[in-house]
Amino acid sequence: MNADSPESSRKLQIDAVLLKLPGVSTRKINRLDAYFVSDKMFACISGHGVGLRVPAATATELQFSRDNVVPFQPGGITSSKEWIQINRADAAEYEKDLELFRASMEFVKAARTR
């Protein structure tokens, strides 16, 4: 991925939204650009969307109430019930999901490590 590729531009736009949140850092994990809070992953870029960890009930509700939310399936493999993917054609539009990103961060910070 070079600096001028669409993927690079998309990551920069998502970084601009997520890295301004307090305590968020980014690094690669299993070839995914992932976002962490308290050293726990709460979001990652996958395909044309951003995977996000939320309570299972919230994940189910969002999948039924929003047409741009689908089950998170990195590499075509179904993830846990706590992961969803938000798809947006324009990565700058993730700004509209800030409250959801904040809720995910709080959920992940409060979750016990396995």
Side-chain angles (χ1 to χ4, degrees), residues 15-34:
D15 281 357
V17 173
L18 295 181
L19 293 179
K20 71 181 176 187
L21 297 169
V24 174
S25 62
T26 185
R27 65 181 183 262
K28 283 227 185 252
I29 184 166
N30 297 331
R31 293 183 296 182
L32 293 174
D33 290 298

Side-chain angles (χ1 to χ4, degrees), residues 4-62:
D4 296 327
S5 73
E7 294 85 11
S8 177
S9 173
R10 189 169 177 78
K11 180 183 180 333
L12 290 174
Q13 289 177 300
I14 295 168
D15 281 357
V17 173
L18 295 181
L19 293 179
K20 71 181 176 187
L21 297 169
V24 174
S25 62
T26 185
R27 65 181 183 262
K28 283 227 185 252
I29 184 166
N30 297 331
R31 293 183 296 182
L32 293 174
D33 290 298
Y35 299 88
F36 294 81
V37 64
S38 301
D39 209 36
K40 298 175 188 173
M41 187 169 79
F42 75 94
C44 66
I45 300 172
S46 179
H48 297 291
V50 174
L52 190 64
R53 185 173 174 205
V54 295
T58 301
T60 300
E61 188 267 322
L62 287 168

Side-chain angles (χ1 to χ4, degrees), residues 36-98:
F36 294 81
V37 64
S38 301
D39 209 36
K40 298 175 188 173
M41 187 169 79
F42 75 94
C44 66
I45 300 172
S46 179
H48 297 291
V50 174
L52 190 64
R53 185 173 174 205
V54 295
T58 301
T60 300
E61 188 267 322
L62 287 168
Q63 288 176 59
F64 282 104
S65 66
R66 287 181 48 177
D67 62 358
N68 68 333
V69 174
V70 296
F72 182 58
Q73 298 178 313
I77 300 166
T78 301
S79 188
S80 84
K81 290 185 236 178
E82 292 181 342
W83 281 88
I84 57 168
Q85 180 166 312
I86 304 169
N87 294 318
R88 291 203 177 271
D90 179 356
E93 299 240 323
Y94 285 108
E95 191 79 33
K96 296 176 180 176
D97 300 308
L98 267 177

